[in-house]
Amino acid sequence: PEDADLDACLGVVAGDDGMLADGIRKDDVLVVEETEWTHIPNGALVAALFHDRVVVRRFENTNGRLHFRAASRTFRDHTAHPDDREYFVLGRVVALMRPLG
């Protein structure tokens, strides 16, 4: 996207199929713009560390809680307090790359 800060981007690998219904597969490479969760709009795709695994989810910040919503119904949604150390928002997903073959 034109508003992405390319100097603040990094590549991560999706750790599960939680967003398969939105076309994001496990092991897809994602370009993530590192940013604080307070600057990410509700409904945006985010990459987050859940415990020790990178996952992609739809993000919502409501009532002082962070909500991570999976697109695939076989995966549960997660809710965390902003200070919860088991969940860390890496940033907004701005692009996806898929290995061929």
Side-chain angles (χ1 to χ4, degrees):
E2 290 183 19
D3 65 335
D5 178 3
L6 297 180
D7 290 330
C9 288
L10 56 97
V12 299
V13 176
D16 68 16
D17 283 328
M19 296 304 287
L20 188 60
D22 282 355
I24 300 172
R25 302 176 188 161
K26 181 178 180 180
D27 296 328
D28 280 348
V29 178
L30 307 163
V31 178
V32 176
E33 179 184 27
E34 287 184 288
T35 187
E36 295 287 328
W37 63 267
T38 55
H39 296 115
I40 299 174
N42 285 342
L45 279 175
V46 298
L49 285 172
F50 285 7
H51 308 283
D52 62 348
R53 182 178 53 147
V54 175
V55 298
V56 178
R57 297 291 188 266
R58 290 271 170 214
F59 175 78
E60 289 181 31
N61 173 17
T62 55
N63 299 324
R65 305 291 274 172
L66 307 181
H67 303 278
F68 304 94
R69 309 221 186 271
S72 300
R73 295 293 165 220
T74 56
F75 289 81
R76 69 183 185 102
D77 295 340
H78 294 268
T79 299
H81 188 274
D83 295 333
D84 191 335
R85 294 178 189 257
E86 293 183 9
Y87 299 88
F88 180 77
V89 177
L90 296 170
R92 178 177 68 128
V93 175
V94 295
L96 175 140
M97 297 179 289
R98 182 166 292 139
L100 297 175

